[in-house]
Structures are given as structure tokens and as C-alpha cells.
Amino acid sequence: IRILSMLLLFIGIGNVVGVQYLIACGRDKEFTYSIFGGAILNVCLNYYLIPAYASIGAAIATALTEFFVNLTLLLRVRKELPLCHYFKMGLPYFIASVVMGCVLGVMPMISSSIFLCLLQQVLVGIIVYCISLIILKEQLFGYYLKKLLITSDV
């Protein structure tokens, strides 16, 4: 599951670049070629990795395939979109996510109840993520936090 959790980032990027940009611009073929290439790569990787590593091999193959598909999509739009600017804007959120993941990864569980453990992780995750964004002085988060605090005072 940890290997597959990387897919959240890849699928998000692929959705924005592929579906919301390439298809919206009428460049369906480029999107389809990237997906088709990914499907071929996935079959090849699964052929070699599943016999050797079972479900872990399948997860690795899937993660590598999603990375490949996203790389090809990003290469197709690199001249049209300011990708460096977008990645720079997303860096504080990525750092906050990594910090939150590290804290949750080493945090002991307070209960044997699955529900209470989930509730603990969600609450601690939210708090760590928000504090990380405040420490990083992320402007958009700060703007909405101030707006929320001002609105709640009324």
C-alpha cells in the first residue's frame, strides 16, 4: 500500500495535464499515445516483477508506469505551460505532506480500536499539515486562514 500511495501524486498530475489540458486542447492523440505506452510498459514490467516479487512487484510496476506516463505527458506540454512555476508553487504543500507523513509514520497508536486510531491520525495529520504550512509561510493558506479567523469573529 505504501508503494501505491505514490500514485495519488502521479494520478493528480496526469489528470491535470492529460485530461484537463491535452484533451481540452483537442490533443487526444498525444494523451492516448502516453496512456498506450504506459499500458505496454506495465504489461512488460508485470511480466518480470510479479513472478519475482508477487504483489510488491505489481505495485512497483504500477508506480513506475504512472511515473512514465506522467513524464511523457509533462514532456509534451513543457513548452506551453510554466511547469517550473507550478512545481515551485506546489513545493510548500509537498513539504507539508512529507512532514505530515513522517509524523504519522512514527506516531504510536493510542487505542486498539481502528476507528479511534483513524480519528487520531486524521486529527494529528490535519494539525501537522496546517502548522507546516504556517511555518513555511505559504501565502494562499495564510490568506484563507486569516479570512476564516476574521469570519468566525463576527
Side-chain angles (χ1 to χ4, degrees):
I1 289 181
R2 290 182 183 185
I3 295 169
L4 293 177
S5 66
M6 294 184 295
L7 294 180
L8 293 174
L9 177 64
F10 296 150
I11 290 171
I13 292 170
N15 186 347
V16 170
V17 174
V19 177
Q20 296 180 19
Y21 185 77
L22 286 175
I23 290 179
C25 291
R27 295 166 62 185
D28 301 40
K29 282 186 180 180
E30 293 177 63
F31 177 68
T32 303
Y33 290 148
S34 295
I35 299 300
F36 187 70
I40 292 170
L41 177 64
N42 192 258
V43 169
C44 293
L45 289 173
N46 279 331
Y47 180 78
Y48 291 106
L49 293 176
I50 289 176
Y53 303 104
S55 61
I56 301 294
I60 292 169
T62 302
L64 288 173
T65 300
E66 282 294 331
F67 176 78
F68 168 78
V69 169
N70 278 283
L71 183 63
T72 60
L73 290 173
L74 291 171
L75 289 173
R76 291 180 189 280
V77 300
R78 72 183 181 278
K79 294 180 182 173
E80 301 147 42
L81 298 177
L83 297 176
C84 288
H85 174 70
Y86 294 150
F87 285 120
K88 185 178 176 184
M89 286 175 46
L91 188 60
Y93 299 101
F94 178 75
I95 293 170
S97 298
V98 169
V99 170
M100 178 187 70
C102 290
V103 169
L104 292 177
V106 299
M107 183 178 69
M109 296 299 134
I110 58 170
S111 172
S112 61
S113 166
I114 294 174
F115 175 75
L116 290 177
C117 288
L118 177 63
L119 182 64
Q120 172 194 359
Q121 287 185 329
V122 168
L123 293 175
V124 170
I126 290 170
I127 292 167
V128 169
Y129 187 77
C130 291
I131 289 172
S132 297
L133 289 177
I134 291 169
I135 291 170
L136 292 169
K137 298 179 181 169
E138 204 294 315
Q139 293 177 351
L140 188 61
F141 178 76
Y143 169 79
Y144 283 111
L145 183 63
K146 286 177 188 174
K147 199 169 188 170
L148 178 70
L149 293 175
I150 290 170
T151 305
S152 64
D153 287 341
V154 176

